[in-house]
Amino acid sequence: VQLQASGGGLVQPGGSLRLSCAASGQTREMTAIAWFRQAPGKERIFISCISDSDGRAFYEDSVKGRFTISQNNAKTTTYLQMNSLKPEDTAVYFCAAAYYCSNLTRIYRSWGQGTLVTVSS
């Protein structure tokens, strides 16, 4: 499966952005799509995952209540709605596909190219 992330940009603290991850190719093989982020000089960390086999969603603690993951009806695009953004949310955001949701990067077989989110006044 090939993934294309988009939707990043510059936003003020407290603002919102919606990221998109478009999947193409063998989309039926990997039914879990996750978002990770990587800040400058830091490791890539798990943010959220959705399993389209049962609709379950998972979130990292620091984004619970602020970020929402969802998919379109065809399960070809996964969104990350980010509200109440903080400067510490600044990072490159990546989407990734796997057979099941996990917070481990090594589980994910396909990665998008990343989209930069900058939260600054």
Side-chain angles (χ1 to χ4, degrees):
V1 61
Q2 291 78 48
L3 303 175
Q4 180 77 29
S6 62
L10 174 64
V11 63
Q12 292 187 341
S16 298
L17 276 178
R18 188 177 78 159
L19 306 183
S20 298
C21 177
S24 60
Q26 300 295 324
T27 57
R28 291 178 180 265
E29 292 183 348
M30 286 179 272
T31 59
I33 302 293
W35 288 95
F36 287 74
R37 69 185 180 192
Q38 187 167 17
K42 297 188 177 181
E43 64 181 12
R44 194 170 298 187
I45 62 170
F46 172 82
I47 295 301
S48 181
C49 184
I50 188 165
S51 173
D52 64 350
S53 61
D54 59 12
R56 293 183 67 189
F58 305 88
Y59 298 94
E60 192 267 334
D61 285 347
S62 70
V63 306
K64 284 180 180 177
R66 299 190 299 125
F67 291 9
T68 303
I69 193 168
S70 63
Q71 293 182 310
N72 64 350
N73 289 338
K75 308 292 178 65
T76 56
T77 302
T78 301
Y79 305 100
L80 186 68
Q81 178 66 43
M82 306 186 295
N83 299 328
S84 303
L85 283 162
K86 305 175 181 180
E88 51 263 42
D89 294 318
T90 295
V92 177
Y93 284 70
F94 299 86
C95 57
Y99 294 104
Y100 57 90
C101 282
S102 171
N103 62 352
L104 301 174
T105 56
R106 60 181 170 84
I107 297 299
Y108 293 84
R109 302 298 184 91
S110 294
W111 291 82
Q113 83 288 3
T115 185
L116 176 63
V117 172
T118 303
V119 184
S120 175
S121 56

